[in-house]
Amino acid sequence: MSENVDTTLAPRTTRPPASPISRLFESKQLGWIALAIALLIPLLIATPYSLNVMTTAAIFVLLASGLNIVVGYCGLLDLGYIAFMAVGAYTAGIIAKAFDLPLIFTIPAVIIMTVLAGLIIGAPTLRLRSDYLAIVTLGFGEITRITANNLSITGGPSGIFGIPGLLKIGDFDLQEPAVFYYVTVLVVAAFVLAAARLGKSRLGRAWRFVREDEDAAEAMGIHTYKVKLMAYIFGAVWGGFGGILFAAHLSAVSPQSFVFLQSALVLMAVVLGGMGNMRGVVIGALVISLLPELLRDLSTYRYLVFGLLLVVVMVFRPQGFWPARGYEPERMGDVSDRRLAKGTVR
Amino acid sequence: MAMLEFDNVAVYYGKVQALRGISLTVEEGEIVALLGNNGAGKTTTLSTASGLVKSHSGRVSFNGTDITKAMPWNVVGAGLIHVPEGRRIFSTMTVLENLLLGGYLVKDRALVAKRIATVYELLPLLAERSTQQGGTLSGGEQQMLAIGRALIAGPKMLMLDEPSMGLAPLIVARVMQVISEIRDQGTTVLLVEQNARAALKVTDRAYVIDGGTTTIEGRAVDLLGDSRIIDAYLGA
């Protein structure tokens, strides 16, 4: 009976008061602010070097947002994610070069190939759990790279070069560094937004339930296998688009770009940023891709410093800069159990 | 026709045989308890019905349909809902989000909203706590949430695994009261319990499972006076 409800106990919400920084982080406009900054930066520094670095960083953000669907949303540890980027980059490169097509026309083929790759890698492996899945994905990542290294269609160890640009209409060439940067930023922004939306959808909720407790999710009627496969396929397509941009950016693709370290760095961006939170992951990706460049003055020591900084962050903030849920719930005492028993509250 | 029927069901975990021929029936509108010690096969029996565990031989049917080989989502869709042992609520998600999971297979959002309102009426504490994270609830409240979540799926029959586990006696009584209210509202209940005394107070019939087979079956009132039950499960 609602009139019997004991209202003397204050609502037990334990969220700490919001600081200005966390208010900024929570703000709905943050994404637009970030996009505006990304679009305005070339007006300040537009050297070929800075455009190159920023374009690479934007592509890295796309990869991290894709891996976040797999690892962050669905909780599947994937150590071979870069394989999907390789599939996208090679598919785009081979088709564009063979038919002398602008890269933009390879998009349908890339989508088909990455979905297939997601199915081929995902279907047999997704019955495995955590550690086993991680080992198998690590293996698949290496298999993809080694296959590309040995096939003639992929150009072997030297790869494919002289890949046509994204699109050229008359004098207007999307390959112009500043223009390409803008194209990349807009494409990446669209994918990040789409991934964030996906996280809030019905499928996104299912991913979270699977991540938190797969058995309970299954007992409540979630087709866990299908849901996990969907996460894999979305992640693969995101990686494939990263591959197209990568191929366009460098106009060359070679196996050395898809070594395990690359998978590890993307994963690091997701973990560092905060698994499951797209905003955190974008920040993590920017840190991982830009920090080594900012540390360039330290020359050979820069990767040492980079590594130390990552260790320091993980020691002091193991949940990442900005995890999906800001705090762990505090377990409350059995006060309410007593109220339950008295029948004052049912 | 029985609502749920097990016909000589056997289950193996690897080489270990967990169920050695379970046969039981639950009629529509009943509350039936499965009693027995640790490791007797009670939980495996429920998991076999819900499709989480596959049987090696025998037949399980629900409302006349063979569900022996059905997948969990099909079983849930058919209206047989399993509330697993240990509550298994999602501790970082809010009470409302937990309830919404129950409606995952229900396409009609208005129906889900209506069922949530019904659950809030049955368990007002969940309404009061709807924006709180599941992990902040007490053990008893978490059990109510687990039951509430299952009700959102619109069960014809509810299978509850050890709802009294780890709860104080007064809370156990409250949980049993809720179970009997759920039955009164038209949902059949299959209840797995170690707490035989509490269970037999609200159930119509009970089976005792021992060593993976059903050994004793009877009306709850008779079993409360049965010397075999008193000695083994109720104490002096």
Side-chain angles (χ1 to χ4, degrees), chain A residues 5-46:
Chain A
V5 170
D6 179 0
T7 50
T8 53
L9 283 173
R12 295 177 299 173
T13 41
T14 49
R15 190 180 278 273
S19 71
I21 290 177
S22 70
R23 268 209 302 276
L24 171 70
F25 277 6
E26 302 283 331
S27 114
K28 284 212 164 62
Q29 283 77 38
L30 185 75
W32 297 112
I33 296 171
L35 180 60
I37 293 173
L39 293 176
L40 290 176
I41 279 187
L43 302 180
L44 300 174
I45 33 167

Side-chain angles (χ1 to χ4, degrees), chain B residues 59-82:
Chain B
R59 187 173 188 273
V60 186
S61 61
F62 180 65
N63 271 338
T65 317
D66 187 341
I67 56 164
T68 318
K69 296 198 165 21
M71 298 305 282
W73 38 94
N74 296 331
V75 176
V76 170
L80 178 58
I81 317 290
H82 182 181

